[in-house]
Amino acid sequence: MRGGESWTRPWWRGAVFYEVYVRSFADSNDDGIGDLPGVTSRLDYLKRLGVDAIWVTPFYPSPQKDHGYDVADYYDVNPEYGTLQDFDQLIQSAHERRLQVLVDLVPNHTSDQHPWFRAALSSPDDPHRALYYFADGKPDGSPPNNWESAFGGPAWTKDESSGQWYLHLFAPEQPDLNWWNPDVPKEFEKILRFWLDRGADGYRIDVASALFKRKDLADQPMVKDPMTGQAKPDATFAIIDQPPVHEVYRRWREIVNGYRPDRVLVGEIFEPQRQSRYILPDQLNMAFALIRAKWDASLWKRSIDVDRHALHGPGQMPSWTVSNHDVVRQVTRLGGGFVGRQRARAALLLLLGLPGQVFLYQGGELGLEEVNLPDDARQDPFFFHSGGKQRGRDGCRVPLPWHKGQTNAGFSKAAPWLPMPAGWDDFAVDAQAGMAESMLVFHQRVLALRRPLSGSLPNDFKWCPAPEGVLVYERGPFRVAVNFLARPVELSSRGRLLIATNPMVRRRADRLSLPPNSGAWLDLAGGI
């Protein structure tokens, strides 16, 4: 036993997951849009990278108002992305390479083109209206309450034919489902089984805590912002996180366990204080510990501690990540250019040494930066619904560069759905594959080292004394040291150097020299 766990660990414990944003990953038919056969064609690349599983973003039929997170049919594949047979081939090919596949499930809302919602709009008396939130407005003609959409503006849109309003916590084209209606959970149990029957190894669950909204649809109280003095919605007022959601996940846990107990449920729940209520043996396996802190040792330490201490149940460990398809790429957030890439390497060592799972977002292994797209090329609803005030998420979704010197960096012969900037092919996979110090090769080396370590090290760690601006921790015989400073530091440190972010990192006698923005792994016992 180690850390309360037997040696028969489930495959996902300590695993490395790779998020595949299907539309931008690999295009197999040169139409400018990534697809499922493209993903299948690059599985060997992912295997060489060293990941254990892929999370595939929504590929269902969709009007693409939010690029797949507006689902019109949960039982098929969008023709842009392929067919059901292409999905089956992806599963088979991944399993042949001992890669697991998580499907992205979107249970909070449908597309406004889903047959249920189209029927709901057909008549005020149509029974499908009960599957969504339709409500009368206030006497003054305003929406039923003051809830706001995550994309800006009211969370309600008026159905002119009936005079009622419908709820959408996201875009108007994404009406929220009414999970209080038993027909909704019943349908999603069928959806869950459909993809499990086709071989899926689990689900990433979109907006996992939001399924049930408070029944009274009460106005969210406003409080005074102590910083600005302006009124703002009271964040302690629970619109979502309603107790019945836990029964849904208990039922889903029973279903996936009935197929195979190690199939995975991952919740999109970022707030640490909420996660422990969901990450339980009879509910979800994990949720995301997303670190967005600026490059500051004290802030990173605080963020790591908040996430790890929030999970106090048996076997609970964070699932670390610094990026996904909704946030600015980490190289840009950490300073951009050469400095940003050095910091991104050090952040990788810091997080991959911790106990728990890790989620990588495609392109991070290439050191890609956020792309500042022209307004006429942007497609994110954040941009449009904010009137251009929010730049949106397109900048982290620009397609991957595969081949240097080829048209569109080898992604597609056709113009990609989001344009690539000049010089994008400098970061291409084949341009980095043979470079000993490239970001891609560094990721491969780190993941290869981590694989045997993740199951043999303790499930906890301790911070060690270090100068201000430096973080050092130990997991048994394993030590991680990261210098957040813009100047070199020397530490007292024993042990054998396993890997470093920078060839200038040195270990001599009892001293470890760390250049600016660098990190290292060390073996303290000589047996790792």
Side-chain angles (χ1 to χ4, degrees):
M1 301 286 283
R2 183 184 298 276
E5 255 186 85
S6 74
W7 283 105
T8 56
R9 296 180 2 138
W11 69 265
W12 54 266
R13 183 77 76 194
V16 176
F17 296 79
Y18 183 100
E19 181 189 353
V20 171
Y21 193 79
V22 176
R23 198 171 184 84
S24 294
F25 187 68
D27 177 14
S28 71
N29 60 357
D30 289 320
D31 64 355
I33 297 171
D35 46 46
L36 293 184
V39 179
T40 303
S41 73
R42 300 296 185 181
L43 289 176
D44 286 335
Y45 165 76
L46 296 173
K47 187 67 178 178
R48 287 193 299 272
L49 181 61
V51 303
D52 302 293
I54 60 174
W55 147 30
V56 182
T57 56
F59 48 77
Y60 314 103
S62 163
Q64 300 295 316
K65 296 298 183 181
D66 191 17
H67 293 126
Y69 287 94
D70 50 321
V71 180
D73 180 356
Y74 289 89
Y75 296 98
D76 208 345
V77 173
N78 190 326
E80 286 183 322
Y81 298 150
T83 65
L84 281 172
Q85 289 69 38
D86 291 326
F87 176 83
D88 295 341
Q89 184 60 56
L90 169 61
I91 293 288
Q92 179 182 333
S93 297
H95 288 172
E96 287 171 355
R97 292 161 175 80
R98 301 188 68 182
L99 290 169
Q100 312 290 319
V101 181
L102 303 191
V103 169
D104 208 327
L105 189 62
V106 188
N108 177 70
H109 48 264
T110 69
S111 163
D112 62 354
Q113 299 303 305
H114 190 283
W116 280 3
F117 193 72
R118 295 178 72 177
L121 291 182
S122 68
S123 165
D125 301 320
D126 190 281
H128 291 88
R129 273 174 113 78
L131 302 175
Y132 297 88
Y133 289 91
F134 280 86
D136 295 328
K138 293 180 178 178
D140 64 359
S142 61
N145 62 34
N146 66 346
W147 297 359
E148 294 183 349
S149 162
F151 290 154
W156 297 88
T157 290
K158 195 171 188 178
D159 169 28
E160 297 294 344
S161 65
S162 68
Q164 286 193 313
W165 301 72
Y166 69 87
L167 177 68
H168 52 86
L169 293 187
F170 295 92
E173 298 88 357
Q174 294 169 295
D176 280 44
L177 287 163
N178 178 10
W179 275 79
W180 297 98
N181 185 320
D183 288 340
V184 174
K186 188 182 301 182
E187 180 68 12
F188 272 87
E189 289 181 15
K190 294 179 185 175
I191 295 166
L192 207 70
R193 293 183 186 277
F194 181 83
W195 298 103
L196 291 172
D197 285 341
R198 302 191 88 93
D201 299 292
Y203 291 94
R204 178 267 190 185
I205 305 163
D206 191 54
V207 221
S209 60
L211 307 190
F212 291 82
K213 285 72 177 177
R214 55 182 303 133
K215 270 189 171 181
D216 62 7
L217 300 181
D219 274 339
Q220 188 170 18
M222 304 298 285
V223 296
K224 186 176 181 180
D225 188 323
M227 300 294 292
T228 65
Q230 302 294 314
K232 67 174 185 178
D234 183 357
T236 65
F237 180 77
I239 291 174
I240 59 174
D241 265 323
Q242 301 298 302
V245 72
H246 298 286
E247 290 304 319
V248 169
Y249 294 138
R250 290 186 185 101
R251 177 61 184 143
W252 288 11
R253 180 83 267 152
E254 291 176 0
I255 291 173
V256 298
N257 283 356
Y259 283 79
R260 200 177 70 218
D262 63 352
R263 291 195 176 182
V264 176
L265 296 177
V266 183
E268 187 195 22
I269 305 169
F270 292 112
E271 301 83 352
Q273 66 274 15
R274 302 158 93 182
Q275 291 182 356
S276 63
R277 304 200 299 271
Y278 291 85
I279 305 175
L280 294 167
D282 64 345
Q283 294 186 52
L284 307 183
N285 299 101
M286 62 188 95
F288 298 102
L290 174 62
I291 297 182
R292 305 192 206 200
K294 67 179 183 179
W295 191 243
D296 178 280
S298 62
L299 295 180
W300 276 68
K301 181 176 184 292
R302 185 186 312 160
S303 184
I304 289 168
D305 281 343
V306 166
D307 279 303
R308 70 164 172 151
H309 293 315
L311 300 179
H312 42 71
Q316 290 186 349
M317 290 190 291
S319 299
W320 307 104
T321 186
V322 292
S323 200
N324 60 40
H325 65 280
D326 286 333
V327 300
V328 173
R329 284 194 176 275
Q330 66 264 36
V331 170
T332 301
R333 292 202 323 270
L334 297 178
F338 174 80
V339 169
R341 289 186 182 87
Q342 290 300 306
R343 291 171 175 174
R345 288 177 182 239
L348 186 73
L349 286 193
L350 187 67
L351 292 189
L352 262 69
L354 293 169
Q357 297 70 239
V358 175
F359 279 78
L360 306 176
Y361 176 51
Q362 68 178 44
E365 77 279 10
L366 302 177
L368 299 183
E369 293 194 61
E370 191 81 357
V371 178
N372 186 18
L373 292 161
D375 288 355
D376 60 2
R378 292 186 178 273
Q379 301 193 29
D380 189 355
F382 259 121
F383 176 75
F384 296 109
H385 291 291
S386 70
K389 295 177 182 177
Q390 298 284 340
R391 304 304 290 165
R393 302 159 294 178
D394 294 317
C396 68
R397 301 175 177 183
V398 173
L400 291 193
W402 290 98
H403 300 291
K404 186 172 176 59
Q406 290 192 9
T407 302
N408 299 313
F411 174 75
S412 179
K413 293 178 182 176
W417 72 281
L418 287 175
M420 296 174 167
W424 200 239
D425 66 337
D426 288 343
F427 302 99
V429 170
D430 66 356
Q432 297 195 41
M435 295 173 58
E437 298 303 325
S438 72
M439 185 72 91
L440 174 59
V441 172
F442 179 72
H443 275 72
Q444 292 170 334
R445 291 173 59 209
V446 174
L447 293 178
L449 271 173
R450 183 185 184 274
R451 183 176 295 277
L453 293 178
S454 63
S456 62
L457 294 176
N459 289 336
D460 201 2
F461 70 96
K462 64 177 182 179
W463 296 108
C464 302
E468 186 176 355
V470 178
L471 293 183
V472 179
Y473 67 80
E474 292 179 1
R475 281 178 72 189
F478 175 68
R479 175 176 287 177
V480 177
V482 172
N483 178 15
F484 282 75
L485 301 173
R487 57 177 174 80
V489 296
E490 273 211 355
L491 307 176
S492 173
S493 183
R494 57 192 174 86
R496 177 174 62 95
L497 186 63
L498 292 171
I499 192 169
T501 60
N502 187 316
M504 298 306 293
V505 172
R506 295 283 188 267
R507 238 280 309 154
R508 293 190 182 93
D510 61 348
R511 309 300 292 173
L512 176 67
S513 300
L514 289 173
N517 305 307
S518 67
W521 284 0
L522 298 108
D523 173 11
L524 302 181
I528 292 180

